[in-house]
Amino acid sequence: MSNATASPNTAASETTSPPDTPLVIAGKEYSSRLIIGTGKYASYQQNADAAEASGAEIVTVAIRRVNLTDPTQPRLADFVDPARYTYLPNTAGCFTGEDAVRTLRLAREAGGWKLVKLEVLGDQKTLYPDMRETLRSAELLISEGFDVMVYCSDDPIMARELEQMGCCAIMPLGAPIGSGLGIQNPVNIRLIKEQANVPVLVDAGVGTASDAAVAMELGCDGVLMNTAIAEARDPIRMARAMKHAVEAGRDAYLAGRMPKKRYADPSSPLAGLI
């Protein structure tokens, strides 16, 4: 019989984190959990290079601002291939439910898009969502057969109502759009994620890679960003950083962080010292 004793690392090696699962939105699987926008870039070419560096598979498209159809002008589709990327039409710049619904109906007519991102803004200064208009227009869009990913406040009650209504993804803001302030209310984001049965993605407010990692460490299924990449000094390098941050944050969430303690705990056991 062997007298060998178990390695001190045996217990740790026997404890495994849960396997990861793909991000699934409206029945389609995605390997990347990062969604990027198509606004504020210096050119469509720079946007395309950033998309490549980010590893994103979904790009948001502001229907009211991006040229998709006029062949006499540069078109987004000439640089960011819609056969490669899932285009996610959004209602950026809409301040009423009527405008948002009309915009997405036009998007469906123009490109056949069914998966859409709804955002109805409350005012120009904060760009916070108007939740009354958001709920009203989401209900109408769902009744018309759209798969609605919805930008919303970080209110767990509103998020639950949107999910019960039939939205396919809930997208609470981390901070005001374009602010780069990072996750301002991690408690509410965590509560929204804990109760959700559909993907939860932080949308708006990310400023740098650590913000994206924080969102993922809270358990979010993904992160959507535009300004953080487009207005970086080096957008391509920042896009690459965001890719790694989202992946690292997801791994950290699945691994399970150590508990926080009030006092020091030595890395090496003190028992058995000579």
Side-chain angles (χ1 to χ4, degrees), residues 186-267:
V187 172
N188 277 19
I189 298 294
R190 178 178 54 78
L191 290 172
I192 290 172
K193 173 56 188 172
E194 284 180 356
Q195 73 182 8
N197 295 299
V198 297
V200 174
L201 301 92
V202 163
D203 178 8
V206 169
T208 190
S210 57
D211 299 330
V214 166
M216 298 304 296
E217 288 170 6
L218 289 170
C220 290
D221 299 283
V223 183
L224 188 154
M225 65 185 71
N226 183 68
T227 308
I229 296 176
E231 292 193 352
R233 187 168 61 248
D234 184 339
I236 313 308
R237 193 166 194 166
M238 183 61 80
R240 189 163 58 246
M242 292 298 188
K243 172 185 177 181
H244 295 316
V246 168
E247 291 173 352
R250 181 66 177 177
D251 271 347
Y253 169 70
L254 292 172
R257 65 157 292 146
M258 62 167 284
K260 293 182 179 180
K261 303 171 184 176
R262 294 182 62 188
Y263 303 106
D265 185 10
S267 298

Side-chain angles (χ1 to χ4, degrees), residues 107-121:
R108 184 162 60 181
E109 289 296 318
W113 292 296
K114 180 183 176 185
L115 179 65
V116 297
K117 179 196 166 189
L118 171 66
E119 60 181 73
V120 186
L121 305 175

Side-chain angles (χ1 to χ4, degrees), residues 121-157:
L121 305 175
D123 62 64
Q124 290 278 1
K125 183 176 182 179
T126 68
L127 300 182
Y128 263 60
D130 182 327
M131 292 310 301
R132 290 175 301 180
E133 290 291 284
T134 298
L135 288 161
R136 188 167 66 89
S137 49
E139 186 172 28
L140 180 56
L141 290 166
I142 291 166
S143 73
E144 294 184 4
F146 286 93
D147 293 319
V148 179
M149 301 174 67
V150 59
Y151 167 67
C152 61
S153 62
D154 57 1
D155 180 343
I157 307 304

Side-chain angles (χ1 to χ4, degrees), residues 98-111:
E98 285 78 11
D99 281 350
V101 170
R102 185 184 310 113
T103 297
L104 294 177
R105 284 171 177 166
L106 289 172
R108 184 162 60 181
E109 289 296 318

